[in-house]
Amino acid sequence: MKTFSLNALLHIRQENELLFANNERSVVVSTKAFGAMQHDLIENMGINRLKTFFFKYGYHLGEEDAIEVAKNESLSMLEKIEYGPIIHALKGHAKPRITEKELEMENNEITSFRLKGIWESSFEAEQHIRNFGIKKGTVCYTLTGYATGYITTLLGQKVFFKELECEGEGAPCCIWEGRLISEWKEEAEEFFSYNKELPILKELEQTNEMLMLEKNNIALVSKTYNEMTNELIKGNNIDSILEILNKQLNLPIVIEDIRHQVITLKGITVDGYETIRKAFNASVDKRQNVTKVKVLSFENGTRLITPIYLLGKIVGYCSFLYDRGRTPNYEIDSMIVDRLASICALLFLKEKAEIESLELVKGHFLEEIISGKYSQQEIIRKADFIQLDLSDHYHMIVLNYKFLKKCEEKEFTLHKNTFEAVSTFFREKSINVLIGQQPDSIVLLFTEKQLNQEKIESTLLSLVSNLKKEIKNALFLAGISSQNSKIVDAGVAVEEARSAVRLSSRDKPVTSFSELGIIGVLINDQNENAIRKMIRDTLSGLCENLDSNKIELIETLYHFLLNGGNLEQTAENLALSKSGLRYRLTKITDLLDCDLRDPQRQFQLLMALKALKIVDHDRLKKFQ
């Protein structure tokens, strides 16, 4: 294509000392002045907002030039398109060159358009580098706007130009491409949405309104939190705090424990909440974990719920309930329910500290009772201070616990968690107990009349079952002393419970001292030497030179005798086949040289095995 002069295309003239181009008054502006404006605008308003501004500015420049070129009917559409880069260059914007072009039309409708090329020495990139240095991303928004406005005006159909590479980000030249806007989709959307943008003053006004609203919200939340905190400082309980919230929010409020059992509620009855809770549980995925403030919808309405964290663990939940048709004011309500959870955590921490202090005192008191430090009268008098009547009949319990092989939990954690779980169990059952902790065991004392007709064995079986759920990878076994009336005999009762627990097993986790029979009485009377001789005489080769194989045979014989010689039940208890059980019984018969079916012999063997488990518990444990 032949070369053109600036005047030939723009018809520049001077009239009355004013400059005109194509009969439009014009001014000459240096690139440095443009750069100064670019710098100040970007510094004050940011490039994200300004890039559409520069694009729009360039778009109008290209649009004006295209209107003039379109008047020349002697040029084909493709020639008119090629004029664009020439005018661009003559105006000093850049040194453009088209590298690829494609224009397809059908019935005067453009079906395909593609224009690709390069800009060298872009004035916009040059100024941007001078003002801001090399930056990540393209910067020639005026140039792409010019190309977009020029071609869109010529074709009468929207196109969009974008940079693929830019000198402003360190590339050797700017590479650009233009296509129909339908082909760019969302990439062009932000540059054609400038008409939707608010004026800056209007935007600032709206921002100010939002800030004022946020300030008012924070002030309301702060006022509410201060009122709740004041109630806490006064020593008032959670009900008093919920009363304040219920009046302010006019919403039902529920506080639950980790198992979603109600601790307290306000603005709704227990029965009313039970109906809602059932509907809520039926509609919520049980796998949903509530670890932060969350809005959960169900059939009857909406629930705003947040966990209560204490020492890094979730210990309960706070909830606001909304009837159907009423939605949470999330901005405010979420902050308030979150602060309520913090208040609850402080109350729970206070309660925990009080309970732990009381349990510590009670544990120390139990140690003094067992040691025999005080008289019967002194002990009963001191027990009155903790609302415990020790003039009543009582039991001592020893609860042993140990790690299972696959347990990775630290020992200290197991001791701590077990103590807390036992304390919580009896507190929830409203049974006032004395709890003391010893290595790998817990000692308990509680009076007979607190059981309310429930057998002590049932209570302890329930305790063991609860501990297995709460604390994984641990085995819990309990022993119960005989019923005692004199509190000064607590030390003897502890030894009874300790003897009994040695006969407990995974299949039978709770054993009472009465089950030991005469063996328990004899051992308790310190006839240990005689008992050991009876064991040696009765079990002979079975208990000599103990190793893991003999321990296995001892356990097999013990279960066989407990089951009255029933092979099927014994095999089931030991998880053995009948043939495997018969093999072991044959070995036992050979070692003992006796008939295991003889009732008299069975009785002697069972007594001897029980005695062995009691007096040689540590030696047996060594090989297990």
Side-chain angles (χ1 to χ4, degrees):
M1 180 178 287
K2 65 178 181 177
T3 58
F4 292 88
S5 68
L6 181 63
N7 191 53
L9 286 174
L10 300 181
H11 306 296
I12 298 173
R13 63 186 173 84
Q14 196 169 16
E15 184 179 320
N16 294 327
E17 299 181 354
L18 299 177
L19 186 66
F20 291 84
N22 292 330
N23 296 319
E24 290 288 335
R25 183 177 174 181
S26 302
V27 293
V28 177
V29 179
S30 71
T31 58
K32 190 174 181 181
F34 175 87
M37 179 187 71
Q38 178 195 56
H39 175 269
D40 289 346
L41 286 172
I42 292 175
E43 280 287 299
N44 286 283
M45 300 173 64
I47 187 61
N48 286 331
R49 182 176 179 87
L50 264 297
K51 61 185 179 183
T52 56
F53 171 82
F54 289 124
F55 182 86
K56 184 178 180 181
Y57 168 68
Y59 186 95
H60 287 311
L61 293 177
E63 185 179 41
E64 287 177 2
D65 288 344
I67 290 171
E68 288 300 315
V69 172
K71 294 175 182 178
N72 191 342
E73 297 180 356
S74 65
L75 299 174
S76 68
M77 181 58 74
L78 197 55
E79 287 175 322
K80 291 176 181 177
I81 289 172
E82 290 174 339
Y83 262 68
I86 296 171
I87 300 173
H88 224 178
L90 291 174
K91 286 190 171 183
H93 291 181
K95 293 193 290 186
R97 178 161 51 90
I98 296 174
T99 57
E100 297 177 34
K101 55 187 174 184
E102 177 187 316
L103 177 65
E104 294 180 9
M105 301 181 69
E106 188 175 316
N107 298 325
N108 293 323
E109 285 288 327
I110 297 169
T111 56
S112 178
F113 171 79
R114 184 166 180 266
L115 197 64
K116 190 172 181 181
I118 63 172
W119 290 316
E120 292 178 319
S121 302
S122 160
F123 88 97
E124 193 168 12
E126 177 188 282
Q127 291 302 314
H128 198 281
I129 292 171
R130 177 177 293 175
N131 289 319
F132 301 104
I134 299 294
K135 297 289 185 180
K136 184 178 180 181
T138 61
V139 301
C140 299
Y141 299 112
T142 304
L143 271 62
T144 52
Y146 181 95
T148 300
Y150 182 86
I151 301 297
T152 295
T153 304
L154 284 179
L155 298 182
Q157 195 165 336
K158 278 190 175 182
V159 298
F160 177 67
F161 280 74
K162 69 171 287 187
E163 284 187 291
L164 306 178
E165 296 182 25
C166 182
E167 291 178 1
E169 58 181 356
C173 62
C174 300
I175 300 176
W176 48 266
E177 182 177 3
R179 284 188 254 160
L180 294 173
I181 196 169
S182 57
E183 295 183 43
W184 290 110
K185 298 180 181 177
E186 68 276 359
E187 288 187 73
E189 186 176 339
E190 66 172 313
F191 292 96
F192 286 93
S193 63
Y194 44 72
N195 289 330
K196 300 176 185 176
E197 290 185 6
L198 293 172
I200 293 175
L201 288 177
K202 188 66 176 177
E203 185 177 326
L204 289 174
E205 184 181 328
Q206 288 195 1
T207 302
N208 185 59
E209 289 176 0
M210 291 175 63
L211 288 173
M212 288 300 297
L213 179 61
E214 185 69 19
K215 180 182 177 182
N216 292 337
N217 288 345
I218 292 173
L220 175 61
V221 173
S222 179
K223 177 177 177 291
T224 304
Y225 184 59
N226 288 338
E227 290 180 2
M228 291 192 292
T229 305
N230 287 337
E231 291 297 308
L232 182 66
I233 293 171
K234 291 175 186 176
N236 293 332
N237 59 23
I238 188 65
D239 290 324
S240 174
I241 293 169
L242 295 191
E243 186 72 35
I244 292 173
L245 276 184
N246 182 245
K247 286 180 180 178
Q248 286 191 2
L249 303 177
N250 193 27
L251 285 172
I253 306 168
V254 181
I255 310 296
E256 298 170 304
D257 64 16
I258 189 65
R259 294 174 292 276
H260 288 286
Q261 300 300 312
V262 175
I263 296 174
T264 186
L265 39 74
K266 189 68 64 175
I268 189 172
T269 64
V270 174
D271 292 339
Y273 176 63
E274 190 61 29
T275 303
I276 291 175
R277 190 162 70 93
K278 286 179 180 177
F280 172 75
N281 290 340
S283 62
V284 172
D285 187 345
K286 295 296 188 294
R287 294 170 295 180
Q288 279 187 303
N289 293 322
V290 180
T291 57
K292 59 182 180 181
V293 180
K294 186 177 285 189
V295 177
L296 299 173
S297 299
F298 57 104
E299 183 182 352
N300 293 23
T302 305
R303 176 175 189 162
L304 184 67
I305 184 170
T306 192
I308 302 170
Y309 282 95
L310 182 60
L311 303 179
K313 292 183 178 180
I314 295 176
V315 295
Y317 300 93
C318 296
S319 298
F320 293 164
L321 305 178
Y322 304 81
D323 294 333
R324 187 189 301 174
R326 181 176 179 182
T327 56
N329 183 343
Y330 188 81
E331 293 297 324
I332 296 178
D333 293 356
S334 62
M335 288 192 285
I336 293 177
V337 77
D338 195 49
R339 280 155 179 75
L340 174 59
S342 300
I343 293 291
C344 288
L346 289 173
L347 287 169
F348 289 172
L349 183 62
K350 175 175 174 286
E351 182 182 355
K352 184 175 184 292
E354 290 173 348
I355 290 170
E356 287 178 349
S357 298
L358 179 60
E359 293 298 344
L360 190 64
V361 170
K362 290 165 73 174
H364 181 66
F365 183 41
L366 179 60
E367 290 176 8
E368 291 180 332
I369 292 172
I370 294 171
S371 69
K373 185 177 180 179
Y374 298 108
S375 66
Q376 175 97 359
Q377 187 176 356
E378 286 178 306
I379 293 171
I380 292 173
R381 180 179 60 80
K382 287 192 172 188
D384 288 339
F385 295 127
I386 54 174
Q387 290 78 50
L388 186 63
D389 183 7
L390 292 184
S391 64
D392 185 27
H393 292 89
Y394 67 93
H395 291 277
M396 298 298 301
I397 292 94
V398 171
L399 177 71
N400 283 353
Y401 51 90
K402 65 177 181 180
F403 287 107
L404 297 177
K405 290 181 180 179
K406 294 182 180 179
C407 182
E408 298 177 354
E409 197 171 7
K410 293 182 180 179
E411 284 192 33
F412 174 78
T413 305
L414 179 63
H415 300 329
K416 178 175 176 291
N417 291 348
T418 301
F419 186 89
E420 289 181 354
V422 171
S423 176
T424 300
F425 175 84
F426 286 108
R427 188 166 62 253
E428 290 179 350
K429 282 185 168 289
S430 299
I431 298 177
N432 191 3
V433 298
L434 295 181
I435 307 176
Q437 194 158 24
Q438 298 179 359
D440 297 330
S441 67
I442 285 178
V443 179
L444 302 102
L445 181 156
F446 60 87
T447 55
E448 184 77 21
K449 66 181 179 184
Q450 292 189 87
L451 294 175
N452 297 324
Q453 306 302 317
E454 184 179 3
K455 290 185 178 180
I456 188 171
E457 289 85 356
S458 300
T459 302
L460 288 179
L461 282 170
S462 179
L463 170 63
V464 169
S465 176
N466 182 268
L467 289 173
K468 285 167 66 177
K469 293 176 184 176
E470 293 285 327
I471 304 171
K472 308 297 183 185
N473 301 317
L475 176 65
F476 298 93
L477 304 173
I480 310 169
S481 74
S482 58
Q483 187 185 89
N484 292 270
S485 57
K486 293 183 178 180
I487 193 61
V488 289
D489 293 334
V492 175
V494 169
E495 291 307 314
E496 290 180 352
R498 208 178 296 283
S499 298
V501 76
R502 289 171 182 169
L503 292 184
S504 297
S505 63
R506 191 192 298 268
D507 299 323
K508 188 177 181 299
V510 177
T511 304
S512 63
F513 183 74
S514 61
E515 295 178 59
L516 274 60
I518 188 117
I519 291 296
V521 176
L522 291 173
I523 292 175
N524 217 39
D525 283 340
Q526 304 301 314
N527 294 324
E528 188 173 321
N529 290 333
I531 293 296
R532 289 185 180 277
K533 184 176 184 306
M534 183 269 288
I535 292 170
R536 288 195 301 271
D537 292 343
T538 307
L539 299 178
S540 58
L542 192 60
C543 66
E544 293 175 356
N545 301 318
L546 275 177
D547 58 21
S548 57
N549 290 328
K550 284 193 174 181
I551 294 294
E552 192 176 71
L553 295 177
I554 288 171
E555 288 298 319
T556 300
L557 179 59
Y558 182 67
H559 283 277
F560 176 73
L561 296 174
L562 280 180
N563 288 313
N566 186 312
L567 287 175
E568 289 185 359
Q569 188 62 47
T570 304
E572 184 180 335
N573 288 352
L574 295 172
L576 282 174
S577 64
K578 283 188 180 180
S579 59
L581 177 59
R582 288 193 181 96
Y583 173 76
R584 287 189 186 181
L585 291 175
T586 301
K587 288 185 70 174
I588 293 169
T589 301
D590 292 341
L591 284 170
L592 295 179
D593 191 23
C594 67
D595 182 7
L596 296 182
R597 295 290 179 181
D598 181 357
Q600 181 65 26
R601 189 63 173 158
Q602 283 184 351
F603 175 76
Q604 292 172 348
L605 288 170
L606 184 58
M607 293 288 285
L609 286 171
K610 285 186 176 182
L612 177 65
K613 279 179 168 285
I614 295 170
V615 300
D616 264 357
H617 175 73
D618 293 335
R619 194 157 67 107
L620 292 174
K621 187 178 179 182
K622 179 181 177 182
F623 294 102
Q624 289 180 329

